[in-house]
Amino acid sequence: PWINNCVGLGNQRSFYCFIVTLLAAIASFYYVVVLYTFDAVFPDLARGAFSELMGTLVAILSSAFDLIWLAFVGALVARHTAYMAVNITTYEVLVRPSHVQRRFPKNRGRFWFLNGFGVASALVNCFNYWTLNTEQDVTDFLGSVPEEGF
């Protein structure tokens, strides 16, 4: 989904809520389509009333073509949930700047950013994500807390 804005520290929580809400809306649409199909279409098919179903079948077939959006938004939610759990941004995954290469020296494969993934650290990262707590970021990316002063 296009939001006409860069997703950064100030609006990442809003974007995540947006894509989760969008996924819920798409999933509920397909839930209603399935309920309608079992309620209206299958009984008419059992009676042999095919001529009355043309409009309904067109609507159901067109909703089948929209399944790509369910897959796309579902993958987007899954990807951003994984990024939240490991404290990394989409930009850092795509560009792999030097601080990311230091944090993930084995950045081969499709899910290289999940190296060293742990449930406890994921929970801490998720909490920090929602509270905008960035104190842990220095430790995550530099490996140690820097000295105070120069």
Side-chain angles (χ1 to χ4, degrees):
W2 183 254
I3 59 171
N4 197 26
N5 194 5
C6 182
V7 177
L9 187 62
N11 64 353
Q12 65 185 353
R13 294 175 298 161
S14 300
F15 177 72
Y16 188 79
C17 289
F18 169 70
I19 60 175
V20 167
T21 304
L22 184 62
L23 180 63
I26 294 171
S28 64
F29 166 74
Y30 283 106
Y31 176 72
V32 169
V33 167
V34 167
L35 288 179
Y36 177 74
T37 301
F38 280 105
D39 188 45
V41 176
F42 289 152
D44 288 345
L45 285 178
R47 285 186 312 200
F50 295 107
S51 61
E52 301 170 7
L53 291 176
M54 287 309 292
T56 303
L57 290 177
V58 168
I60 290 172
L61 288 175
S62 65
S63 68
F65 289 115
D66 288 336
L67 282 173
I68 189 73
W69 290 113
L70 182 65
F72 172 73
V73 175
L76 191 62
V77 168
R79 186 175 77 184
H80 279 277
T81 302
Y83 292 169
M84 178 190 344
V86 295
N87 192 22
I88 198 166
T89 64
T90 305
Y91 174 80
E92 291 167 333
V93 170
L94 295 175
V95 176
R96 297 182 189 176
S98 61
H99 67 276
V100 173
Q101 291 177 13
R102 281 191 308 272
R103 182 176 172 203
F104 302 100
K106 297 178 183 176
N107 59 2
R108 300 272 187 243
R110 189 173 192 153
F111 301 109
W112 57 268
F113 53 88
L114 292 177
N115 290 337
F117 175 77
V119 176
S121 65
L123 292 174
V124 169
N125 288 335
C126 290
F127 178 78
N128 291 340
Y129 178 88
W130 289 105
T131 59
L132 287 178
N133 183 357
T134 58
E135 293 173 4
Q136 186 73 23
D137 290 352
V138 174
T139 306
D140 281 348
F141 288 99
L142 297 181
S144 63
V145 179
E147 296 288 327
E148 293 288 329
F150 288 77

